[in-house]
Amino acid sequence: MIELGGIGPGPFAGMVLADLGAEVVRVDRPGRAGEPDAGGPADVLNRGKRSVVLDLKDPSATAALLQLVERADVLTEGFRPGVTERLGIGPHDCLARNPRLVYGRMTGWGQDGPLAAAAGHDITYIALTGALGAIGDPDGPPRIPLNLVGDFGGGGCYLVIGVLAALHAAARTGRGQVVDAAIVDGTAHLLASTFAKLARDEWTDERGVNRFDGGWPFYAVYETKDGRHVAVGALEGKFYRSLVRLLGLDVDPDRQHDRSTWPELRRSLAKRFAERTRDEWAALFEGTDACVAPVLTLTEAAAHPHLAARGSLFTRDGVVQPAAAPRFSATPSSPGRTAPAVGADTRAVFHDWGVPLPD
């Protein structure tokens, strides 16, 4: 796989595929070596890859890249529409050299449409899909869910899905194709269940009043005595009964879905959780079916016994990072080596792929 160097969801997709066993060669531009994410232990999104440097504005470098393309299964890029075409390495150029190639394109707005050529970021993409407007308190502004929903959920993950599906098709048909992975498309796709609930009148088109946005008092976050928080997800009746019992609340669990009781229920839950610290509540609910968990920081998460037992996060050279996911019974995945310095593998890659170095 050839990955034309970029930021965010494109490199994340390359990391996922490298974790799954792909040989990923990242093509970086000259001068990137001085940037803070240019190789080394903290450059997590580029772990497991090899790095070459090519100035794609130079015709000799472009010619060399096309020779690499002839030997590749996949090429991914994250430029605005038309950029690779102007460089002479667009889908038409590459598929002419290698008809089996899967050409993955990672953008925010997609390859066509009124906004295709416009700049954007995660926040603008998820704003337009309705996802951002659905997250937050009812009496406040929308809450930004990091850049997980757009860049990495709707973007990088869908590029991986598209590449793998296109590779499967190429193996059957001998023909490659272009994968147009747009963050707006992926984010809209992630909202499938929400749109379904909206159509069934199970969801109100406003934030903070619904089942999964904190609107229901038994699916919400509460502050504890020490100013920290616990997350409560006792949706089902049996889980709610367990929650009520362990908290010692004087409420009728059979009236869980009586909305007239919810304001008082929320006040009771808030008052009770404020009586103990987060970790005291975590100890009480550990292993129960009440669906209560402590809200941890990123640093705390790495030390949690469950994540530690599974190795969901690990530390390499002082850098906490996620392990490879998902897991397989017969073909284990594994996070690759620390990201190399920019251009560290240029000579080796061209040698191994049987392509002469450009002048």
Side-chain angles (χ1 to χ4, degrees), residues 16 20 30 56 66 89 103 135 171 183 198 203 216 230 264 293 296 306-307 327 339 348:
V16 172
L20 297 179
L56 295 178
L66 288 172
I89 52 174
Y103 195 106
I135 301 171
I183 293 172
L198 188 64
W203 192 272
W216 292 15
V230 292
E264 180 58 32
L296 304 181
H306 184 79
L307 299 185
R327 304 182 184 197

Side-chain angles (χ1 to χ4, degrees), residues 55 67 74 104 106 195 207 249 274 281 301 303 306 309 311:
D55 182 358
Q67 287 185 278
V74 179
M106 180 77 263
F195 277 112
R207 60 182 165 272
L249 293 181
W281 286 120
H306 184 79

Side-chain angles (χ1 to χ4, degrees), residues 3 10 27 31 42 80 98 110 123 193 206 229 232 244 268-269 271 306 344:
E3 175 192 310
V27 178
R80 292 198 207 188
N98 181 355
I123 193 170
S193 175
E206 53 186 288
H229 297 85
V232 177
V244 169
S268 296
L269 288 167
K271 181 179 178 181
H306 184 79

Side-chain angles (χ1 to χ4, degrees), residues 20-231:
L20 297 179
E23 178 186 349
V24 180
V25 174
R26 178 181 169 105
V27 178
D28 281 305
R29 66 184 187 280
R32 184 177 172 268
E35 297 178 2
D37 61 344
D43 189 6
V44 174
L45 294 185
N46 287 313
R47 73 186 185 194
K49 303 175 186 178
R50 305 171 83 186
S51 172
V52 306
V53 168
L54 288 175
D55 182 358
L56 295 178
K57 297 179 181 178
D58 182 336
S60 67
T62 300
L65 178 65
L66 288 172
Q67 287 185 278
L68 293 174
V69 165
E70 292 174 1
R71 295 154 173 78
D73 299 302
V74 179
L75 180 145
T76 62
E77 56 95 356
F79 301 116
R80 292 198 207 188
V83 170
T84 58
E85 284 85 350
R86 291 194 294 272
L87 292 171
I89 52 174
H92 178 78
D93 306 288
C94 291
L95 286 165
R97 293 292 193 100
N98 181 355
R100 297 176 61 93
L101 183 73
V102 172
Y103 195 106
R105 315 195 80 171
M106 180 77 263
T107 60
W109 303 116
Q111 295 299 312
D112 52 36
L115 294 176
H121 273 298
D122 175 279
I123 193 170
T124 52
Y125 308 139
I126 67 172
L128 216 63
T129 62
L132 180 60
I135 301 171
D137 297 326
D139 55 352
R143 293 294 185 93
I144 304 169
L146 303 183
N147 59 338
L148 299 178
V149 174
D151 280 351
F152 297 107
C157 285
Y158 276 85
L159 179 57
V160 171
I161 293 169
V163 164
L164 294 177
L167 279 172
H168 183 66
R172 290 187 292 107
T173 67
R175 296 190 304 274
Q177 60 184 301
V178 177
V179 177
D180 177 4
I183 293 172
V184 289
D185 296 345
T187 302
H189 200 251
L190 288 172
L191 287 166
S193 175
T194 306
F195 277 112
K197 290 181 177 64
L198 188 64
R200 296 194 299 264
D201 292 326
E202 296 174 4
W203 192 272
T204 302
D205 198 9
E206 53 186 288
R207 60 182 165 272
V209 298
N210 296 288
R211 182 185 305 180
F212 297 118
D213 61 7
W216 292 15
F218 37 86
Y219 194 93
V221 174
Y222 291 94
E223 187 173 351
T224 55
K225 183 178 181 180
D226 53 351
R228 298 182 178 184
H229 297 85
V230 292

Side-chain angles (χ1 to χ4, degrees), residues 317-328:
D317 297 326
V319 176
V320 177
Q321 56 194 285
R327 304 182 184 197
F328 301 86

